[in-house]
PDB file of all heavy atoms in Angstrom:
ATOM      1  N   ALA A  64      -4.285  -0.456   5.862  1.00  0.00           N
ATOM      2  CA  ALA A  64      -4.522  -1.833   5.250  1.00  0.00           C
ATOM      3  C   ALA A  64      -3.930  -2.871   6.078  1.00  0.00           C
ATOM      4  O   ALA A  64      -4.627  -3.965   6.303  1.00  0.00           O
ATOM      5  CB  ALA A  64      -4.015  -1.822   3.837  1.00  0.00           C
ATOM      6  N   ARG A  65      -2.763  -2.759   6.672  1.00  0.00           N
ATOM      7  CA  ARG A  65      -2.177  -3.718   7.521  1.00  0.00           C
ATOM      8  C   ARG A  65      -2.986  -3.917   8.794  1.00  0.00           C
ATOM      9  O   ARG A  65      -3.218  -5.077   9.161  1.00  0.00           O
ATOM     10  CB  ARG A  65      -0.710  -3.359   7.833  1.00  0.00           C
ATOM     11  CG  ARG A  65       0.058  -4.399   8.626  1.00  0.00           C
ATOM     12  CD  ARG A  65       1.380  -3.926   9.081  1.00  0.00           C
ATOM     13  NE  ARG A  65       1.274  -2.910  10.156  1.00  0.00           N
ATOM     14  CZ  ARG A  65       0.905  -3.231  11.467  1.00  0.00           C
ATOM     15  NH1 ARG A  65       0.718  -4.426  11.845  1.00  0.00           N
ATOM     16  NH2 ARG A  65       0.890  -2.230  12.275  1.00  0.00           N
ATOM     17  N   LEU A  66      -3.397  -2.857   9.416  1.00  0.00           N
ATOM     18  CA  LEU A  66      -4.198  -2.939  10.615  1.00  0.00           C
ATOM     19  C   LEU A  66      -5.503  -3.594  10.342  1.00  0.00           C
ATOM     20  O   LEU A  66      -6.004  -4.460  11.130  1.00  0.00           O
ATOM     21  CB  LEU A  66      -4.407  -1.554  11.211  1.00  0.00           C
ATOM     22  CG  LEU A  66      -3.208  -0.916  11.817  1.00  0.00           C
ATOM     23  CD1 LEU A  66      -3.504   0.533  12.248  1.00  0.00           C
ATOM     24  CD2 LEU A  66      -2.703  -1.665  12.985  1.00  0.00           C
ATOM     25  N   ARG A  67      -6.116  -3.341   9.195  1.00  0.00           N
ATOM     26  CA  ARG A  67      -7.379  -3.979   8.862  1.00  0.00           C
ATOM     27  C   ARG A  67      -7.162  -5.533   8.651  1.00  0.00           C
ATOM     28  O   ARG A  67      -7.956  -6.353   9.063  1.00  0.00           O
ATOM     29  CB  ARG A  67      -7.927  -3.370   7.564  1.00  0.00           C
ATOM     30  CG  ARG A  67      -9.265  -4.035   7.109  1.00  0.00           C
ATOM     31  CD  ARG A  67     -10.373  -3.844   8.047  1.00  0.00           C
ATOM     32  NE  ARG A  67     -11.596  -4.572   7.533  1.00  0.00           N
ATOM     33  CZ  ARG A  67     -12.339  -5.312   8.291  1.00  0.00           C
ATOM     34  NH1 ARG A  67     -12.134  -5.418   9.548  1.00  0.00           N
ATOM     35  NH2 ARG A  67     -13.381  -5.941   7.782  1.00  0.00           N
ATOM     36  N   GLY A  68      -6.045  -5.830   8.034  1.00  0.00           N
ATOM     37  CA  GLY A  68      -5.718  -7.292   7.893  1.00  0.00           C
ATOM     38  C   GLY A  68      -5.535  -7.955   9.145  1.00  0.00           C
ATOM     39  O   GLY A  68      -5.992  -9.110   9.360  1.00  0.00           O
ATOM     40  N   MET A  69      -4.850  -7.283  10.085  1.00  0.00           N
ATOM     41  CA  MET A  69      -4.650  -7.922  11.415  1.00  0.00           C
ATOM     42  C   MET A  69      -5.995  -8.117  12.174  1.00  0.00           C
ATOM     43  O   MET A  69      -6.210  -9.082  12.833  1.00  0.00           O
ATOM     44  CB  MET A  69      -3.756  -6.976  12.285  1.00  0.00           C
ATOM     45  CG  MET A  69      -2.308  -6.987  11.825  1.00  0.00           C
ATOM     46  SD  MET A  69      -1.591  -8.622  12.004  1.00  0.00           S
ATOM     47  CE  MET A  69      -0.907  -8.845  10.336  1.00  0.00           C
ATOM     48  N   GLN A  70      -6.906  -7.190  11.986  1.00  0.00           N
ATOM     49  CA  GLN A  70      -8.216  -7.301  12.576  1.00  0.00           C
ATOM     50  C   GLN A  70      -8.958  -8.508  11.951  1.00  0.00           C
ATOM     51  O   GLN A  70      -9.621  -9.247  12.701  1.00  0.00           O
ATOM     52  CB  GLN A  70      -9.077  -6.047  12.376  1.00  0.00           C
ATOM     53  CG  GLN A  70      -8.581  -4.894  13.214  1.00  0.00           C
ATOM     54  CD  GLN A  70      -9.360  -3.603  12.940  1.00  0.00           C
ATOM     55  OE1 GLN A  70     -10.163  -3.552  12.016  1.00  0.00           O
ATOM     56  NE2 GLN A  70      -9.046  -2.520  13.684  1.00  0.00           N
ATOM     57  N   LEU A  71      -8.848  -8.699  10.686  1.00  0.00           N
ATOM     58  CA  LEU A  71      -9.467  -9.806  10.017  1.00  0.00           C
ATOM     59  C   LEU A  71      -8.867 -11.123  10.542  1.00  0.00           C
ATOM     60  O   LEU A  71      -9.572 -12.077  10.739  1.00  0.00           O
ATOM     61  CB  LEU A  71      -9.365  -9.737   8.508  1.00  0.00           C
ATOM     62  CG  LEU A  71     -10.199  -8.648   7.859  1.00  0.00           C
ATOM     63  CD1 LEU A  71      -9.833  -8.536   6.384  1.00  0.00           C
ATOM     64  CD2 LEU A  71     -11.691  -8.988   8.022  1.00  0.00           C
ATOM     65  N   ILE A  72      -7.554 -11.172  10.661  1.00  0.00           N
ATOM     66  CA  ILE A  72      -6.875 -12.399  11.055  1.00  0.00           C
ATOM     67  C   ILE A  72      -7.142 -12.744  12.578  1.00  0.00           C
ATOM     68  O   ILE A  72      -7.501 -13.871  12.845  1.00  0.00           O
ATOM     69  CB  ILE A  72      -5.339 -12.281  10.845  1.00  0.00           C
ATOM     70  CG1 ILE A  72      -5.095 -12.229   9.322  1.00  0.00           C
ATOM     71  CG2 ILE A  72      -4.637 -13.429  11.475  1.00  0.00           C
ATOM     72  CD1 ILE A  72      -3.650 -11.768   8.992  1.00  0.00           C
ATOM     73  N   TYR A  73      -7.054 -11.767  13.421  1.00  0.00           N
ATOM     74  CA  TYR A  73      -7.138 -12.038  14.842  1.00  0.00           C
ATOM     75  C   TYR A  73      -8.483 -11.811  15.392  1.00  0.00           C
ATOM     76  O   TYR A  73      -8.763 -12.018  16.570  1.00  0.00           O
ATOM     77  CB  TYR A  73      -6.068 -11.264  15.600  1.00  0.00           C
ATOM     78  CG  TYR A  73      -4.658 -11.740  15.190  1.00  0.00           C
ATOM     79  CD1 TYR A  73      -3.836 -10.995  14.451  1.00  0.00           C
ATOM     80  CD2 TYR A  73      -4.253 -13.032  15.607  1.00  0.00           C
ATOM     81  CE1 TYR A  73      -2.633 -11.423  14.050  1.00  0.00           C
ATOM     82  CE2 TYR A  73      -2.990 -13.532  15.250  1.00  0.00           C
ATOM     83  CZ  TYR A  73      -2.160 -12.689  14.480  1.00  0.00           C
ATOM     84  OH  TYR A  73      -0.942 -13.205  14.091  1.00  0.00           O
ATOM     85  N   GLY A  74      -9.470 -11.256  14.613  1.00  0.00           N
ATOM     86  CA  GLY A  74     -10.799 -11.097  15.111  1.00  0.00           C
ATOM     87  C   GLY A  74     -11.088  -9.991  16.082  1.00  0.00           C
ATOM     88  O   GLY A  74     -12.051 -10.059  16.819  1.00  0.00           O
TER      89      GLY A  74
END
Side-chain angles (χ1 to χ4, degrees):
R65 187 189 68 79
L66 289 174
R67 178 66 181 135
M69 291 295 129
Q70 288 175 355
L71 288 172
I72 292 168
Y73 295 108

